[in-house]
Amino acid sequence: MKIPYPVLLKRTEDSPKWLPVVTSVGAVLLAFIISGVILAVTGADPFKVYSYLFKASFGSWGAFSDVVVKATPLLLIGLGCSLAFRMRLWNIGAEGQFFVGAFMASAVVMVPLVNLDTTPRWAIISLMAALGMLGGSLYAFIAGFLKAKLNINEIIITLMLNYIAVLWNNYWIFGKWSESGFQMTKTFPKSAWLPRLADYAKQVPAFSGMTLHLGILFGLIAAVIVYLIIYRSKWGYKITLIGDNPRAARYAGINITANTILVFMVSGALAGLAGMTEVSGVVHRLQERISTSYGFSGVIVAWLAKLNPFAVIVVSILFGALLVASREIQPSGISFLIQGITLFLVISSDVFLKYEIKWVRPAQETAQ
Amino acid sequence: MNWIEIFRSGISTGTVLLIAAIGEILTERAGIQNLGVEGMMLVGAMAGFKVAFSTGNVWLGLLAAIAAGGLLSLAHALVTIHFQADQTVSGLSLTFLGTGLALVLGDGLTGQTGPVIPRASIPLLSQIPYLGQIAFADHNLLVYFGYLLLPIVTYFINKTRPGLHLRAVGENPAAADTLGVNIYRTRYLYTFIGGCFAGLAGAAISVAIAPGWYSNLTVNGQGWIAVALVIFAHWNPWRAALGGYLFGILRRFTLDLQGPRILFGLANPFFYNTNLVFFLQMTPYILTIIALIWGSSAARKKRIGAPAALGTPYQRGERGL
């Protein structure tokens, strides 16, 4: 048996600028087509599912507001992943860092760390955000430290930490913080809620019922900051250099150990902030299911956006739509399926960016 | 506490990790890292249970699981070998794809019961006091398959010609290529075989050890533990087996800790405060981290490393490093 290999790949440095956009969009479209075929095989009508998907996410301003709410944690996590992936650090632990961030933010209310009645709202929210970021970054520090000092595979460490973080949260919501035996804390007082559009329905009637909260602003600011770090700062240059060519970076005198830990912590802080916005802006309590695999979807968002912070904004909104719609679609695995196929197609399409592809003709033809 | 039962159950649940880890060892020895074990196991568990349930034949179920895991792994092989994509990202997306496929195709299987792998005792060996009861009595047949697998795979890797080629492809593909070993074919083959083992490991859960389909909780992270086990085991099947069984034993031990009122002469905290159970449930994951730390320092002392070409794509005509 011989595997034919009639393609010659030639490394290329100068692929046209529009090509990444075309391949990404093509990959998403193709993913929908393939998923549609699988849906059809299982007996569902893909056109119905997709039109429902579109209506449920972009059909009205209210629906779109839900989409942005879902996109907020994806945006923050996707930004953190973009930064880490530039250094080829595979932080798959955003899920765990998200949960620890949510836990720390909840601690402000549940312990309580401040007097909730007298402290101004902005101070409570700032403290929650700060602790959320701290929690996420400290949790990511574990993986960063083990990677930097002992060269232990960070993927497995971060994954194991994910399971541990979920169980840690369970300990609190089933036990000490449980609301009369339910697996959740009491609802936070209004002073610990991130402001929502619906809060201003009296002034602007169109806002009534809109769940969009301030978290998206955190995400947009973070996108600008991450953009400045990556493209406009010396540190961002170092990160990219370490990722592309660690040997050259070492010769240039860049401290890889310190940067590994630091990038992990920044990435974890963003995931922790995502956890804070979710408890403070959406569910207003700590409970078991605060994440629908945001941590993992964030990985895909970052990759699909080619690690470009502004592209992360667009992609996370697209994936937010997928999450909103898939809440009601049966069977439940369909959003995982689409995400997995998309990622596969995106990484396959990278071959067009890195290589010039030439078809090698079989020897007989060239002889003629 | 019934120690014999703890060890027995440890060997039986450890078999799942053993099968998956051996598959991943074969794949990684060829220089391909496939992090999609969790996804392939889920697809295997779903396919195995679904086919066994609908045909009533558990062996057909196993075959389906092996085929499903193998087919899914080909996606990883294509993307990483031909398209030279990043193996980490590809492995992750394989996990997503596998989870999605298993959930979509496994829709409606929850709560059903199907046929299971028969149990058997080994004559004579099962008569040995303690050991016989623990290792050779009334286990499902896959446990014995695991025992057979170990010497066979070790012999294959270290003593046979194809095994030599396998190691060469993982350590120095450029040199293997000059000697006429087909790198692409070898890597495809062992990625596929690794997928088959992962599929089988998934089915070992759904039709033997914890029969049934419980959506993604069926596998619940064991695929990732298997990947960690490979690193801990330094790509050696015997160490992987040892680690797998130890994990199984500890998992059962922590479950049994919750039972008695009195533990080692003291009041059992896990009995009186059921919320502490969440800490017990953390142990397999914490142990995995500890095992990795331990494995990495041992590896540095003994200078054992991963296959040298692990994770790097091979392109004919480009100079290998």
Side-chain angles (χ1 to χ4, degrees):
Chain A
M1 186 181 82
K2 231 180 176 180
I3 300 262
Y5 202 73
V7 197
L8 184 72
L9 299 176
K10 225 178 104 195
R11 229 169 240 286
T12 169
E13 297 299 328
D14 49 308
S15 57
K17 276 220 154 142
W18 46 264
L19 199 55
V21 182
V22 172
T23 54
S24 287
V25 172
V28 174
L29 288 179
L30 202 56
F32 272 88
I33 294 172
I34 296 176
S35 308
V37 172
I38 296 176
L39 275 177
V41 169
T42 61
D45 179 352
F47 295 103
K48 251 189 195 161
V49 172
Y50 287 155
S51 73
Y52 175 82
L53 213 145
F54 188 79
K55 248 187 241 156
S57 43
F58 297 111
S60 68
W61 283 109
F64 184 66
S65 143
D66 282 351
V67 168
V68 177
V69 167
K70 283 276 175 196
T72 303
L74 291 179
L75 171 56
L76 286 163
I77 291 170
L79 289 170
C81 289
S82 304
L83 197 63
F85 292 176
R86 286 214 167 236
M87 224 176 116
R88 310 217 148 256
L89 290 177
W90 307 111
N91 178 12
I92 315 302
E95 187 86 0
Q97 293 141 18
F98 174 96
F99 270 95
V100 173
F103 167 80
M104 294 285 275
S106 306
V108 173
V109 180
M110 297 307 300
V111 173
L113 296 177
V114 291
N115 186 328
L116 296 168
D117 299 323
T118 56
T119 318
R121 189 177 184 181
W122 64 266
I124 295 178
I125 287 172
S126 309
L127 183 63
M128 288 172 80
L131 281 183
M133 290 171 76
L134 181 73
S137 66
L138 287 181
Y139 206 55
F141 170 83
I142 302 174
F145 180 83
L146 291 176
K147 167 76 179 173
K149 293 282 186 192
L150 299 174
N151 194 25
I152 295 176
N153 188 320
E154 71 276 25
I155 298 172
I156 296 167
I157 297 286
T158 46
L159 270 162
M160 295 297 125
L161 290 175
N162 287 347
Y163 290 103
I164 295 170
V166 170
L167 289 165
W168 169 257
N169 266 16
N170 280 353
Y171 170 71
W172 291 92
I173 56 180
F174 279 74
K176 271 214 169 84
W177 292 355
S178 166
E179 168 81 347
S180 52
F182 290 106
Q183 294 138 23
M184 49 176 74
T185 66
K186 65 176 189 194
T187 308
F188 296 169
K190 280 259 162 108
S191 55
W193 290 21
L194 280 172
R196 295 196 292 194
L197 281 186
D199 298 348
Y200 303 96
K202 266 187 198 147
Q203 290 91 326
V204 190
F207 284 172
S208 75
M210 288 213 186
T211 51
L212 186 67
H213 58 82
L214 196 64
I216 187 64
L217 200 62
F218 294 175
L220 294 175
I221 294 170
V224 174
I225 295 175
V226 172
Y227 175 85
L228 292 176
I229 290 179
I230 292 177
Y231 294 104
R232 294 278 179 270
S233 80
K234 225 183 217 174
W235 187 44
Y237 177 73
K238 283 183 187 170
I239 291 173
T240 313
L241 181 61
I242 297 173
D244 288 345
N245 193 341
R247 211 180 282 181
R250 192 167 285 129
Y251 286 139
I254 298 171
N255 186 341
I256 296 184
T257 309
N259 276 305
T260 300
I261 297 176
L262 201 59
V263 165
F264 247 105
M265 289 180 75
V266 173
S267 167
L270 287 167
L273 184 61
M276 176 269 172
T277 62
E278 206 63 11
V279 288
S280 169
V282 183
V283 285
H284 304 129
R285 56 154 57 112
L286 190 63
Q287 59 185 32
E288 206 176 1
R289 298 195 180 280
I290 46 175
S291 161
T292 40
S293 291
Y294 290 133
F296 298 106
S297 302
V299 171
I300 301 182
V301 165
W303 208 257
L304 198 53
K306 302 272 187 257
L307 312 185
N308 178 324
F310 290 138
V312 170
I313 300 177
V314 179
V315 178
S316 57
I317 286 184
L318 200 78
F319 271 63
L322 189 60
L323 290 182
V324 167
S326 64
R327 271 188 306 207
E328 288 149 61
I329 290 184
Q330 289 297 325
S332 58
I334 196 71
S335 87
F336 276 118
L337 189 66
I338 296 178
Q339 290 180 45
I341 295 176
T342 310
L343 191 53
F344 250 118
L345 293 170
V346 169
I347 58 175
S348 318
S349 68
D350 279 354
V351 77
F352 295 112
L353 307 180
K354 273 191 274 177
Y355 297 96
E356 211 175 305
I357 295 167
K358 286 185 178 158
W359 295 92
V360 180
R361 287 186 193 172
Q364 299 145 321
E365 280 183 37
T366 38
Q368 282 168 358
Chain B
M1 218 173 285
N2 185 346
W3 289 101
I4 289 196
E5 195 44 48
I6 289 176
F7 278 90
R8 261 185 67 77
S9 143
I11 283 183
S12 148
T13 48
T15 300
V16 173
L17 292 175
L18 179 149
I19 294 174
I22 284 187
E24 182 68 7
I25 286 175
L26 286 169
T27 306
E28 294 201 1
R29 278 291 181 99
I32 297 286
Q33 184 175 46
N34 189 349
L35 294 176
V37 180
E38 178 87 4
M40 298 186 294
M41 279 176 74
L42 263 172
V43 166
M46 182 279 300
F49 182 72
K50 190 169 188 168
V51 170
F53 168 70
S54 52
T55 63
N57 185 331
V58 69
W59 304 110
L60 283 180
L62 280 192
L63 274 182
I66 292 170
L71 279 177
L72 192 60
S73 75
L74 286 182
H76 182 69
L78 176 73
V79 169
T80 57
I81 299 171
H82 265 106
F83 297 155
Q84 318 222 330
D86 191 288
Q87 295 186 6
T88 304
V89 184
S90 171
L92 273 178
S93 46
L94 197 67
T95 298
F96 268 92
L97 187 60
T99 310
L101 272 177
L103 292 185
V104 169
L105 298 176
D107 194 38
L109 286 179
T110 315
Q112 308 285 3
T113 46
V116 294
I117 300 277
R119 293 167 169 279
S121 299
I122 309 271
L124 293 179
L125 287 178
S126 58
Q127 303 302 320
I128 307 171
Y130 300 114
L131 184 70
Q133 254 181 304
I134 289 169
F136 301 110
D138 198 33
H139 274 302
N140 73 69
L141 293 179
L142 287 173
V143 171
Y144 305 122
F145 172 72
Y147 298 160
L148 288 179
L149 204 56
L150 280 173
I152 294 175
V153 170
T154 312
Y155 180 81
F156 175 80
I157 294 177
N158 294 319
K159 299 279 187 235
T160 66
R161 197 162 184 82
L164 177 70
H165 290 169
L166 163 66
R167 281 180 291 145
V169 168
E171 296 291 347
N172 193 338
D177 199 0
T178 26
L179 294 175
V181 181
N182 187 331
I183 309 295
Y184 301 110
R185 195 176 76 184
T186 311
R187 289 191 159 176
Y188 261 94
L189 180 66
Y190 288 102
T191 309
F192 180 74
I193 290 176
C196 292
F197 274 103
L200 178 65
I205 302 175
S206 66
V207 298
I209 283 150
W213 174 247
Y214 308 93
S215 69
N216 47 353
L217 289 179
T218 316
V219 176
N220 202 17
Q222 291 190 66
W224 292 107
I225 293 181
V227 175
L229 213 52
V230 172
I231 301 173
F232 163 75
H234 302 148
W235 295 267
N236 174 336
W238 288 98
R239 283 186 60 129
L242 188 72
Y245 292 141
L246 266 177
F247 253 105
I249 291 165
L250 281 161
R251 179 166 281 199
R252 177 61 194 257
F253 174 69
T254 52
L255 268 179
D256 280 12
L257 269 184
Q258 300 157 35
R261 279 163 187 277
I262 305 288
L263 197 65
F264 308 121
L266 296 165
N268 183 358
F270 300 112
F271 182 83
Y272 291 100
N273 183 352
T274 46
N275 286 316
L276 289 178
V277 169
F278 292 118
F279 289 102
L280 285 183
Q281 289 174 0
M282 286 179 195
T283 42
Y285 310 116
I286 295 175
L287 281 171
T288 306
I289 295 177
I290 294 173
L292 280 179
I293 296 173
W294 186 43
S296 89
S297 62
R300 254 176 308 144
K301 260 183 223 146
K302 291 189 202 157
R303 294 173 182 279
I304 318 170
L310 184 61
T312 46
Y314 180 72
Q315 161 92 54
R316 236 189 159 160
E318 252 182 26
R319 228 183 105 213
L321 286 171

